[in-house]
Amino acid sequence: MSIEATTIAPAGLLAEATRLKNDGYRFVTMSSVELDETNMEILYHFDRDLTLVNLRVPVEKGGKLPSLSGLIFGAFLVENEIRDQYALTFDGLVLDYQGKLYAETAQTAASSPFCKYAVKSAKKEA
Protein backbone atom coordinates (compact mmCIF):
# COMPACT_ATOMS: atom_id res chain seq x y z
CA MET A 1 0.00 0.00 0.00
CA SER A 2 1.25 3.47 -0.77
CA ILE A 3 -0.06 6.89 0.04
CA GLU A 4 0.07 9.90 -2.21
CA ALA A 5 1.47 12.80 -0.26
CA THR A 6 3.11 16.12 -0.93
CA THR A 7 6.45 16.45 0.84
CA ILE A 8 6.97 19.80 2.53
CA ALA A 9 9.63 21.17 4.86
CA PRO A 10 8.69 21.72 8.50
CA ALA A 11 8.99 25.48 7.96
CA GLY A 12 6.16 25.38 5.39
CA LEU A 13 3.75 23.25 7.44
CA LEU A 14 1.70 26.03 9.06
CA ALA A 15 1.29 27.95 5.80
CA GLU A 16 0.14 24.82 3.94
CA ALA A 17 -2.23 23.77 6.75
CA THR A 18 -3.67 27.30 6.80
CA ARG A 19 -4.21 27.17 3.03
CA LEU A 20 -5.97 23.81 3.28
CA LYS A 21 -8.18 25.01 6.13
CA ASN A 22 -9.10 28.16 4.20
CA ASP A 23 -9.91 25.98 1.17
CA GLY A 24 -12.47 24.04 3.22
CA TYR A 25 -10.41 21.01 4.23
CA ARG A 26 -10.75 19.58 7.73
CA PHE A 27 -7.90 18.10 9.73
CA VAL A 28 -8.41 14.34 10.12
CA THR A 29 -5.31 13.08 11.97
CA MET A 30 -1.55 12.56 11.78
CA SER A 31 0.48 9.41 11.24
CA SER A 32 4.10 8.80 12.16
CA VAL A 33 6.44 6.62 10.13
CA GLU A 34 9.90 5.53 11.20
CA LEU A 35 12.30 5.51 8.26
CA ASP A 36 15.55 4.47 9.93
CA GLU A 37 17.57 4.99 13.09
CA THR A 38 17.51 8.79 12.90
CA ASN A 39 14.69 9.85 10.59
CA MET A 40 10.90 9.88 10.62
CA GLU A 41 8.08 11.30 8.58
CA ILE A 42 4.90 12.75 9.95
CA LEU A 43 1.92 12.52 7.62
CA TYR A 44 -0.83 15.10 8.06
CA HIS A 45 -4.22 14.00 6.70
CA PHE A 46 -6.90 16.47 5.57
CA ASP A 47 -10.32 15.79 4.01
CA ARG A 48 -12.80 17.71 1.89
CA ASP A 49 -15.79 15.99 0.30
CA LEU A 50 -14.32 12.52 0.90
CA THR A 51 -11.05 13.42 -0.82
CA LEU A 52 -7.90 13.07 1.27
CA VAL A 53 -4.92 15.37 0.95
CA ASN A 54 -1.77 14.22 2.72
CA LEU A 55 1.27 16.24 3.69
CA ARG A 56 4.54 14.40 4.35
CA VAL A 57 6.95 16.22 6.67
CA PRO A 58 10.42 14.75 7.26
CA VAL A 59 11.89 15.16 10.74
CA GLU A 60 14.80 13.77 12.71
CA LYS A 61 13.95 11.68 15.77
CA GLY A 62 14.00 13.87 18.84
CA GLY A 63 13.43 16.89 16.58
CA LYS A 64 10.83 19.64 16.56
CA LEU A 65 7.89 20.47 14.36
CA PRO A 66 5.53 23.43 14.51
CA SER A 67 2.27 22.62 16.26
CA LEU A 68 -0.98 22.84 14.33
CA SER A 69 -2.94 23.22 17.57
CA GLY A 70 -2.97 27.03 17.39
CA LEU A 71 -4.65 26.78 13.99
CA ILE A 72 -6.61 23.55 14.53
CA PHE A 73 -7.15 23.02 18.25
CA GLY A 74 -7.94 19.29 17.97
CA ALA A 75 -4.42 18.59 16.70
CA PHE A 76 -3.14 18.94 20.29
CA LEU A 77 -4.20 15.40 21.14
CA VAL A 78 -2.34 13.54 18.39
CA GLU A 79 0.66 15.87 18.76
CA ASN A 80 0.88 14.95 22.45
CA GLU A 81 0.53 11.27 21.57
CA ILE A 82 3.35 11.43 19.02
CA ARG A 83 5.46 13.28 21.56
CA ASP A 84 4.93 10.52 24.13
CA GLN A 85 5.54 7.68 21.71
CA TYR A 86 8.28 8.98 19.43
CA ALA A 87 10.13 11.74 21.33
CA LEU A 88 9.21 14.54 18.92
CA THR A 89 8.28 17.95 20.25
CA PHE A 90 5.85 20.45 18.81
CA ASP A 91 6.56 24.19 19.09
CA GLY A 92 3.52 26.19 20.14
CA LEU A 93 1.45 23.27 21.44
CA VAL A 94 -1.58 24.93 23.06
CA LEU A 95 -2.24 22.11 25.54
CA ASP A 96 1.03 20.37 26.39
CA TYR A 97 0.91 17.28 28.58
CA GLN A 98 4.71 17.35 28.96
CA GLY A 99 5.11 13.72 27.88
CA LYS A 100 2.40 12.46 30.24
CA LEU A 101 -0.68 12.22 28.04
CA TYR A 102 -1.55 8.69 29.10
CA ALA A 103 -0.71 8.84 32.81
CA GLU A 104 1.42 10.76 35.25
CA THR A 105 3.69 7.75 35.43
CA ALA A 106 4.07 7.52 31.64
CA GLN A 107 7.50 6.77 30.28
CA THR A 108 9.68 9.74 29.51
CA ALA A 109 9.97 10.95 25.93
CA ALA A 110 13.60 9.82 25.93
CA SER A 111 12.49 6.19 26.18
CA SER A 112 10.25 6.47 23.08
CA PRO A 113 8.36 3.21 23.61
CA PHE A 114 7.20 2.83 20.01
CA CYS A 115 10.50 3.57 18.29
CA LYS A 116 12.19 0.57 16.69
CA TYR A 117 15.51 2.36 17.05
CA ALA A 118 17.03 4.08 20.08
CA VAL A 119 16.58 7.82 20.29
CA LYS A 120 19.48 9.84 21.62
CA SER A 121 18.39 12.38 24.19
CA ALA A 122 20.29 15.33 25.51
CA LYS A 123 20.05 15.05 29.28
CA LYS A 124 20.26 18.28 31.20
CA GLU A 125 22.63 18.28 34.08
CA ALA A 126 21.38 19.69 37.36
Side-chain angles (χ1 to χ4, degrees):
M1 181 171 134
S2 66
I3 184 170
E4 290 187 33
T6 302
T7 300
I8 60 171
L13 176 61
L14 287 177
E16 188 61 19
T18 299
R19 185 189 68 77
L20 288 169
K21 182 178 178 185
N22 291 342
D23 287 348
Y25 284 85
R26 69 179 182 90
F27 173 73
V28 176
T29 193
M30 297 160 52
S31 303
S32 51
V33 179
E34 275 189 299
L35 300 176
D36 58 33
E37 292 183 13
T38 58
N39 298 292
M40 296 186 69
E41 287 180 340
I42 304 300
L43 293 158
Y44 293 81
H45 311 285
F46 294 85
D47 165 78
R48 182 178 73 186
D49 300 327
L50 301 176
T51 300
L52 279 177
V53 170
N54 305 289
L55 304 177
R56 182 184 314 260
V57 181
V59 63
E60 287 186 11
K61 290 183 181 178
K64 284 186 180 182
L65 289 173
S67 172
L68 291 187
S69 63
L71 174 67
I72 304 163
F73 180 74
F76 87 91
L77 189 58
V78 71
E79 288 175 344
N80 273 285
E81 183 176 34
I82 289 172
R83 177 184 177 162
D84 285 6
Q85 296 174 345
Y86 295 99
L88 294 178
T89 56
F90 293 87
D91 277 340
L93 192 56
V94 296
L95 186 53
D96 189 346
Y97 284 88
Q98 300 292 315
K100 296 181 181 354
L101 173 65
Y102 295 116
E104 289 203 25
T105 57
Q107 296 179 350
T108 64
S111 65
S112 309
F114 288 92
C115 282
K116 294 178 195 169
Y117 308 99
V119 176
K120 293 180 183 177
S121 65
K123 299 217 179 211
K124 294 181 182 177
E125 295 186 25

